[in-house]
Amino acid sequence: MSGLALEAVVTRPRRPAGRRTRGLWLLPPLAVVAVFFGYPLALVAGQSLTTDAGFGLGVWAEVLGSAEFRDAAWQTVLLALGATTGCVLLGTFLALIIAFVPVPGARTLSRLVDTVLAFPSFLIALAFTFLYGSAGVFGAGGFLYSPWGVLLAEVTFYTPFVMRPALAAFGQVPGVHLDVAASLGARPGRVLWRVVLPAALPSLASGACLTLLLALNEFGIVLFLGAKGVTTLPMLVYGKGIVTFDFPAASVVALVDVAISLLLYGSYRVLAGRGRGAAVDAA
């Protein structure tokens, strides 16, 4: 019996030493995430449950049932969806021109798109103030300080976030597919609708999800423009936390915004993974 046990110990496969140490290397980043993200989020969650009588869901019920929160959530969703729609249409159109139309300077324009991605959002708002402000070049102050001005600024700023994945996806479309479709008598519009756009759809969807995520959390453009009657969820957090010092209510709004952002980020990761898989299959 002891011999069989000894033989089993000897023949038992050993786990590679690399797997043991690999788990240890995960501890430092997990600790950093727990300290710099998990702990503050836990504090915010605890603050949202703080009431005059102790702990409870009274603040949640008060905030979620208020007309102020509903209006801010509605404006946030409308602006984000409008900006995403505009960015997808404009970004796809510009990417198609750069990728398939022999326009002089297309490569320079593509590099310029990468540069715009590094700009802060308030810079666009500042430029719009010089163009459309009350003392700007065009003097359309009423337009700038309305929801339409915020929407135009967000579309201008976030369009490159759709153009970049669209350009990458259009560059992965095999030229032989386009040649075969053209040889079969398909017109350019049909080739675009049946060949090019379906191949780029996962990348366009991931770019749209990323734009929607960023637009939902946009703060600099709305704050810098100071549009009248435009209150988004980030602005509501700022107003309750910084202006009125109502930290429990600000924490509730912030947690709702975080939950929406995490949901959209998960959708973006799924669509981005499908986009990479489609690019690999096409290659």
Side-chain angles (χ1 to χ4, degrees), residues 48-131:
S48 69
L49 298 174
T50 303
T51 63
D52 295 336
F55 283 92
L57 297 176
V59 180
W60 280 85
E62 180 181 354
V63 172
L64 297 183
S66 64
E68 184 183 27
F69 174 80
R70 291 195 298 268
D71 293 341
W74 181 244
Q75 285 189 348
T76 303
V77 171
L78 284 182
L79 283 174
L81 290 177
T84 302
T85 302
C87 290
V88 169
L89 295 176
L90 181 59
T92 304
F93 175 73
L94 295 177
L96 285 171
I97 292 178
I98 295 175
F100 297 109
V101 178
V103 178
R107 186 182 299 272
T108 303
L109 181 59
S110 177
R111 293 177 179 175
L112 182 61
V113 170
D114 296 335
T115 305
V116 173
L117 293 175
F119 288 168
S121 60
F122 72 85
L123 188 61
I124 299 296
L126 179 63
F128 271 44
T129 302
F130 289 135
L131 290 176

Side-chain angles (χ1 to χ4, degrees), residues 139-161:
F143 165 77
L144 180 62
Y145 307 118
S146 67
W148 293 105
V150 176
L151 182 63
L152 180 60
E154 291 187 358
V155 170
T156 303
F157 179 71
Y158 289 117
T159 293
F161 289 86

Side-chain angles (χ1 to χ4, degrees), residues 2-3 15 19 32 35 45-46 133 144 147-148 155 179 182 184 194 205 216 223 235 242 246 255 263:
S2 59
R15 295 178 59 185
R19 292 185 179 179
V32 171
V35 171
L144 180 62
W148 293 105
V155 170
D179 296 337
L184 294 176
R194 299 298 298 272
L216 279 173
L223 178 65
M235 286 294 298
I242 304 301
D246 190 356
L255 288 176
L263 179 62

Side-chain angles (χ1 to χ4, degrees), residues 205-262:
S206 64
C209 286
L210 178 61
T211 303
L212 182 61
L213 173 64
L214 296 173
L216 279 173
N217 294 282
E218 177 54 45
F219 177 74
I221 290 177
V222 183
L223 178 65
F224 200 92
L225 290 181
K228 297 179 180 178
V230 178
T231 302
T232 60
L233 290 179
M235 286 294 298
L236 188 59
V237 174
Y238 174 80
K240 289 188 173 299
I242 304 301
V243 179
T244 62
F245 299 103
D246 190 356
F247 296 112
S251 299
V252 171
V253 180
L255 288 176
V256 172
D257 204 12
V258 168
I260 297 174
S261 300
L262 289 177

